[in-house]
Amino acid sequence: MKWFVTVMKKAFNFSDRSRRKEYWMFMLIAALLSLVLTMVDAFAGLELAEDVGILSTLFSLLLIVPSLSVTFRRLHDTGKSGWWILISLIPIIGWIVLLVFTVQDSETGINRFGTNPKVAV
């Protein structure tokens, strides 16, 4: 949960670097919380329309900016511009390329986006 809170605190920081662990733990916790909220919506009857729950929709809206910022920072950590996130607009191939970029190891030392977060920890 620490990683989730850390990313939420840095929600509007699009300029630094994020480690793989920070990125993937945030994504994992967000997915688990989304799953739980979807089940709560279904069991409590909190649906706006068929398969559209109130809590899960609000949670998804809340995570838009933090998800974008942590992805930008993750791309920065691999030495790429955050704008590479736009490659995900290309169906399937773009998603695969973005996945490959996010699983790559950090650039060692200092790059144009800052110091290596592995060294800072």
Side-chain angles (χ1 to χ4, degrees):
M1 199 63 158
K2 166 189 137 190
W3 297 106
F4 186 81
V5 173
T6 301
V7 170
M8 295 302 284
K9 286 180 181 177
K10 297 192 283 186
F12 295 98
N13 180 355
F14 287 83
S15 60
D16 290 336
R17 296 169 64 171
S18 287
R19 297 176 60 182
R20 266 188 301 199
K21 187 172 185 176
E22 179 180 350
Y23 176 81
W24 287 110
M25 291 302 289
F26 172 77
M27 292 300 177
L28 174 66
I29 294 168
L32 292 174
L33 288 173
S34 181
L35 179 66
V36 168
L37 289 174
T38 300
M39 288 191 293
V40 169
D41 284 335
F43 291 131
L46 299 172
E47 295 181 334
L48 298 169
E50 188 175 332
D51 297 330
V52 180
I54 295 172
L55 298 176
S56 56
T57 301
L58 290 174
F59 183 69
S60 296
L61 291 172
L62 175 73
L63 289 185
I64 290 172
V65 173
S67 296
L68 286 173
S69 71
V70 75
T71 304
F72 262 64
R73 291 191 314 270
R74 180 70 204 123
L75 289 169
H76 288 171
D77 194 41
T78 62
K80 293 165 188 57
S81 169
W83 291 107
W84 272 101
I85 197 170
L86 295 176
I87 201 164
S88 65
L89 296 175
I90 301 170
I92 301 170
I93 300 297
W95 304 333
I96 293 169
V97 170
L98 189 61
L99 175 66
V100 169
F101 287 168
T102 57
V103 297
Q104 288 179 342
D105 197 11
S106 304
E107 268 193 351
T108 57
I110 298 172
N111 70 10
R112 65 183 184 196
F113 302 105
T115 59
N116 189 338
K118 287 183 181 178
V119 175
V121 173

